[in-house]
Amino acid sequence: MSEYVIDDREMPRFRVNRQAMVDPDVFAKERDRIFEHSWLYLGHETELRKKNDFTTRTVAGRPLIFARDNEGNIRVWVNSCPHRGAMLCREPRGNARFLTCFYHGWSFSTAGEMVAMPGDEAYGEDFERPDLAAPPKVDSYRGFVFVSFDPDIVDLKTYLAGATEYLDLVCDQSELGMEVLSGTHEYSVKANWKLLVENSVDGYHAVSTHQRYFEMVLAARGKLDPSALGASRGIDLGNGHAVIAGEPATEDLFGRPLSEAGAQERADRYARFRELYGDGWVERMQGTRNMVIFPNLIVIDLVMGVVIRKIDPVTPDYLEVSAWELAPPDEGDELRKQRLDNFLTFWGPGGLASPDDVEALETCQVGYGGRKELGWSDISRGMNGSVNSSTDEFQMRTWWRRWNELITGEQLPPEEQAPLDGVFVAPRRSPDHAESAV
């Protein structure tokens, strides 16, 4: 039996040992057994709009350069000069034909090839001029670029498993492909990284934690009718990935109301998508989804915007977050303006949701100081039924079982759930999109 997870199907009860949130040894095991052997999100292709664009990222503790070379190909390099290790790119983003180390002047193309070495003659004719180093695996799906440091890992699409279907529901919202809007929301939380994973797929906390947001919505709309919400389900997508998927509401509930012009444009867009993909797929598209792609990528399609959230563990009690908004590049100015307003009001750094979540997670981490007296967190909600909803914790348990398997070797059986039906299984009529070539 795992020392970190109790999965009692008879009671039923699911508990997680709070030691997993504070122990440096657990954190070291996560780095070695999870982050060294998973596909990890790096960035979106649309962040690199021009040849020789680059941005810098940290993935699994490694500094990386995410670039588009002079031929327009996506490239990923370790952000370290092969000479003495200095970072090649110290700026967060830019455009440059050559990546030159400021320390000794070694220079490389965005394709990773060495182009200049000051005092080259001092090395001799047979000296092997090094190129830049790359992660063993780089691949993408629908513009989402991932890396893995495990050369023997399964291919990306196999790893993503059922998550590909929900990425398709996001990416099909534009015939041109979705784009990441300029600007990055970067923040930190004094809490364990797994708490933000849980929070991102937790519908149970919404009303109590985000009361101010719902008060704003009520003031803006004059009413707030929960009965307009459709059904929702937590769904196991395989390999530790999970999603809360919601049916479309019978009327808009969240955010400030769209203008007449904005509402009409949105309706026209969905009418076009029905022609392309069929009614059932578009009905699913009009619903909501909070998805975690194991271990640390969150994609949330809710409140007039799609959030891409990359969670980076730094220490057992400190994490950093990078978040972006994904949007259709072909929507009109009016709808884009209202999308941004609603998105920032909820998700932004001064919004009515993200700061609440940070506060909640940091109080949890403080509370773990009493773990000798209260040693276990409970994640049992919904275990007593076969049809869960967004306020249950099925999706968190799905993630934790995969975590537990990788950390301890113990493989716990999945929970039995009633088969999905209706809008949750409506197929996409048109052929699948091909993945982007990296």
Side-chain angles (χ1 to χ4, degrees), residues 93-156:
R93 62 191 58 83
N95 182 278
R97 289 184 60 200
F98 303 109
L99 308 174
T100 301
C101 178
F102 84 105
Y103 195 10
H104 296 94
W106 286 25
S107 186
F108 304 83
S109 72
T110 49
E113 299 168 342
M114 170 170 273
V115 294
M117 178 191 290
D120 183 84
E121 65 280 356
Y123 288 90
E125 293 183 4
D126 297 329
F127 182 76
E128 183 179 336
R129 274 63 175 168
D131 295 331
L132 296 183
K137 295 285 187 177
V138 180
D139 204 350
S140 73
Y141 185 82
R142 301 295 301 269
F144 290 78
V145 179
F146 294 78
V147 300
S148 178
F149 303 103
D150 180 355
D152 300 318
I153 196 168
V154 299
D155 65 273
L156 177 61

Side-chain angles (χ1 to χ4, degrees), residues 304-305 325 327-328 331 335-343:
M304 274 294 290
E325 181 175 8
E331 68 183 355
L335 191 56
R336 173 62 61 87
K337 177 182 176 182
Q338 291 171 70
R339 175 190 295 276
L340 289 173
D341 176 70
N342 274 310
F343 182 89

Side-chain angles (χ1 to χ4, degrees), residues 13 35 43 63 85 122 130 142 173 196 224 230 243 250 258-259 325 348 353 390 413 415:
R13 171 180 282 176
F35 286 87
R142 301 295 301 269
Q173 294 176 35
L196 185 53
L224 186 58
V243 68
T250 56
L258 295 179
S259 67
E325 181 175 8
S390 63
E415 287 180 51

